[in-house]
Amino acid sequence: EIVMTQSPDTLSVSPGERATLFCRASQSVRSNLAWYQQKPGQAPRLLIHDASTRATGIPARFSGSGSGTEFTLTISSLQSEDFAVYYCQQYKKWPPLTFGGGTKVEIK
Amino acid sequence: QVQLVESGGGLVKPGGSLRISCAASGFMFSDYYMTWVRQAPGKGLEWVSHITSSGDIKVYADSVRGRFTISRDNAKNSLSLQMNSLRAEDTATYYCARWGYSVYFDYWGQGALVTVSS
């Protein structure tokens, strides 16, 4: 099973600042990585797939990078609606499909 | 627009059974693989099961294999999860989700809460 580790657990950021979230895989997943955003009481929403491709309707301030075992999600200028929990998910080797534990982005 | 609406959640005793469903609309349901993902209260996401577009292949997480059964009815645009021998650790919100072009999930339902407690 591929273990996905996200860091930090919590990120405190002021509106308008840049946020950088990290995701590490226990073995290479190439570019088979997705990022999701989840707000309280809501379902997850797909942000990024294939490590760097924005999903339909996702603003350009969200960008993904990385390959192999190290990945980054960057939010260039945080808006109020971006405060949420973010999860990465690998789909290179499965079952099982595995998610990271999440990073909570909170208002500083 | 794509919509996934879960139903059937509720409270069940340990060892009991429950069936949850997901009604799909806004897309050609029979063309897509579908999946169930769950989230225990205050915890992260856990993949549970998926099913191919025709329903011929079903895959399960180790934690539910032998107890849960995924199925679909393409004529009714419906996905189901039959859960037997439920345990306290199965308590979670269960989301149905559609596969994108690869094994990521591009649309999600709002979730069905399943609580296993005596």
Side-chain angles (χ1 to χ4, degrees):
Chain A
E1 173 178 331
I2 296 179
V3 177
M4 307 301 292
T5 303
Q6 291 187 242
S7 61
D9 291 337
T10 304
L11 187 61
S12 298
V13 186
S14 300
E17 290 188 340
R18 182 187 195 92
T20 304
L21 290 66
F22 300 96
C23 176
R24 173 176 291 176
S26 60
Q27 60 185 270
S28 175
V29 299
R30 299 186 70 173
S31 294
N32 297 129
L33 186 106
W35 289 94
Y36 301 88
Q37 175 194 66
Q38 187 178 34
K39 298 178 183 179
Q42 295 186 18
R45 176 174 73 143
L46 177 68
L47 297 176
I48 301 284
H49 61 87
D50 299 331
S52 60
T53 302
R54 276 190 302 277
T56 303
I58 301 302
R61 64 180 182 272
F62 291 92
S63 63
S65 63
S67 66
T69 62
E70 304 284 341
F71 300 88
T72 301
L73 175 70
T74 301
I75 311 170
S76 59
S77 177
L78 269 159
Q79 306 298 303
S80 57
E81 61 267 28
D82 300 336
F83 292 96
V85 179
Y86 293 82
Y87 295 95
C88 61
Q89 176 232 328
Q90 68 82 20
Y91 47 96
K92 175 66 177 71
K93 184 177 178 182
W94 53 276
L97 294 162
T98 48
F99 294 87
T103 291
K104 181 180 180 181
V105 177
E106 64 176 24
I107 300 174
K108 186 175 183 181
Chain B
Q1 73 279 24
V2 172
Q3 278 201 307
L4 298 168
V5 180
E6 296 94 339
S7 61
L11 174 65
V12 61
K13 289 181 168 53
S17 298
L18 196 67
R19 185 181 186 89
I20 57 176
S21 297
C22 173
S25 61
F27 65 102
M28 190 63 70
F29 181 70
S30 58
D31 284 351
Y32 287 84
Y33 288 24
M34 297 293 294
T35 199
W36 288 99
V37 174
R38 69 183 180 183
Q39 185 171 38
K43 302 298 184 182
L45 301 169
E46 180 188 14
W47 167 77
V48 172
S49 178
H50 75 251
I51 187 168
T52 55
S53 54
S54 64
D56 59 338
I57 297 174
K58 306 170 185 181
V59 184
Y60 300 93
D62 287 348
S63 57
V64 306
R65 188 178 298 114
R67 301 186 299 122
F68 288 13
T69 302
I70 191 172
S71 62
R72 66 190 296 160
D73 185 335
N74 285 343
K76 295 182 178 179
N77 292 341
S78 178
L79 175 74
S80 295
L81 187 68
Q82 175 67 42
M83 301 180 288
N84 299 330
S85 303
L86 281 160
R87 307 165 180 166
E89 55 265 35
D90 295 319
T91 294
T93 296
Y94 286 75
Y95 296 101
C96 70
R98 189 184 85 167
W99 282 33
Y101 289 110
S102 187
V103 196
Y104 53 84
F105 311 121
D106 60 357
Y107 288 94
W108 298 63
Q110 86 288 351
L113 177 61
V114 174
T115 303
V116 184
S117 174
S118 55

